[in-house]
């Protein structure tokens, strides 16, 4: 595999992430190669993988902070990596930070998206050169407070972030004649 996506770690949201990729593959009519790295049982992972026939999903069992495990997932040829922390496992955020450092040393060009459950870990991920950081504390805080203080905001955000929504955020190519033009001119397109 090359130019593939690697998803490291396991928590209750991994299946939702895989499902979202599956939906986007169908919408965009693209092929997607994914390697899952975690310490779950192979039989359980085979069952999950069998539900997503529209993608090429492989599984590597092991600790995603270890170079040899990352090598089995062909980390040096991967395009991007998603690191998922399990908030139910003590110290899992630290494992995400360590893995970010390891991965960026093995493949400096890989895009690393790291998810942590504790906001105080974000500066360490920045130092480790994570390209994108998902901080669940900030997201949960925003959703909880805006539901009460600014009704409708969190529902709108949920629609924009839901890959199954027709109102979701998505990227569209811009015709070359509109590049460098202002938004008003683009809005006529």
């Amino acid at each position: 595999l090359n130019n593939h996506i690697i998803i490291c770690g396991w928590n209750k949201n991994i299946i939702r992430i895989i499902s979202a990729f599956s939906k986007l593959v169908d919408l965009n009519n693209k092929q997607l190669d994914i390697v899952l790295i975690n310490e779950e049982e192979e039989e359980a992972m085979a069952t999950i993988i069998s539900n997503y026939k529209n993608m090429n999903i492989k599984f590597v069992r092991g600790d995603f902070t270890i170079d040899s495990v990352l090598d089995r997932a062909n980390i040096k040829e991967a395009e991007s990596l998603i690191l998922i922390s399990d908030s139910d496992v003590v110290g899992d955020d630290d494992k995400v930070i360590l893995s970010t450092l390891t991965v960026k040393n093995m493949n400096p060009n890989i895009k690393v998206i790291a998810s942590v459950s504790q906001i105080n870990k974000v500066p360490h991920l920045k130092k480790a050169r994570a390209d994108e950081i998902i901080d669940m504390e900030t997201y949960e805080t925003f959703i909880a407070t805006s539901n009460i203080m600014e009704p409708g905001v969190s529902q709108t955000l949920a629609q924009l972030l839901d890959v199954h929504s027709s109102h979701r955020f998505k990227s569209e190519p811009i015709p070359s004649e509109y590049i460098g033009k202002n938004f008003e001119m683009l809005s006529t397109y």
Side-chain angles (χ1 to χ4, degrees), residues 3-27:
N3 297 321
H4 55 292
I5 298 167
I6 300 175
I7 303 174
C8 296
W10 190 259
N11 68 20
K12 61 187 177 224
N13 290 322
I14 296 289
I15 293 173
R16 292 177 65 191
I17 291 169
I18 296 168
S19 178
F21 274 127
S22 178
K23 176 71 174 179
L24 291 172
V25 162
D26 287 344
L27 288 173

Side-chain angles (χ1 to χ4, degrees), residues 5-180:
I5 298 167
I6 300 175
I7 303 174
C8 296
W10 190 259
N11 68 20
K12 61 187 177 224
N13 290 322
I14 296 289
I15 293 173
R16 292 177 65 191
I17 291 169
I18 296 168
S19 178
F21 274 127
S22 178
K23 176 71 174 179
L24 291 172
V25 162
D26 287 344
L27 288 173
N28 296 315
N29 199 24
K30 288 187 175 183
Q31 175 59 35
L32 192 60
D33 299 317
I34 297 176
V35 178
L36 304 173
I37 303 176
N38 59 58
E39 297 183 62
E40 298 297 308
E41 294 298 324
E42 291 197 30
E43 188 175 297
M45 296 309 299
T47 301
I48 291 165
I49 290 169
S50 70
N51 292 325
Y52 300 97
K53 299 200 184 309
N54 63 338
M55 297 183 293
N56 179 28
I57 304 177
K58 306 289 183 201
F59 173 60
V60 173
R61 188 166 196 262
D63 181 341
F64 58 83
T65 63
I66 298 174
D67 291 15
S68 61
V69 173
L70 293 165
D71 281 334
R72 289 192 348 244
N74 201 16
I75 191 71
K76 292 177 180 152
E77 299 298 323
E79 181 179 307
S80 35
L81 175 100
I82 300 172
L83 290 160
I84 302 293
S85 175
D86 187 344
S87 60
D88 295 333
V89 176
V90 175
D92 219 41
D93 282 353
D94 295 330
K95 192 173 176 178
V96 167
I97 295 165
L98 176 61
S99 188
T100 302
L101 283 166
T102 302
V103 166
K104 282 295 195 173
N105 281 314
M106 294 177 79
N107 179 351
N109 298 320
I110 193 168
K111 181 175 185 175
V112 174
I113 298 98
S115 174
V116 291
S117 56
Q118 300 172 340
I119 195 168
N120 65 332
K121 302 298 181 177
V122 170
H124 303 292
L125 279 170
K126 288 180 181 178
K127 287 178 189 172
R129 301 185 326 251
D131 296 285
E132 301 290 338
I133 300 168
I134 301 166
D135 154 32
M136 293 312 295
E137 279 186 21
T138 299
Y139 182 75
E140 288 174 2
T141 301
F142 171 79
I143 293 298
T145 56
S146 69
N147 266 311
I148 294 170
M149 301 302 292
E150 298 172 324
V153 171
S154 63
Q155 290 84 357
T156 302
L157 181 61
Q159 258 194 9
L160 293 172
L161 298 177
D162 181 359
V163 321
H164 302 288
S165 170
S166 60
H167 304 291
R168 70 180 169 83
F169 277 123
K170 62 182 177 177
S171 171
E172 292 287 336
I174 298 173
S176 60
E177 64 266 19
Y178 289 99
I179 295 177

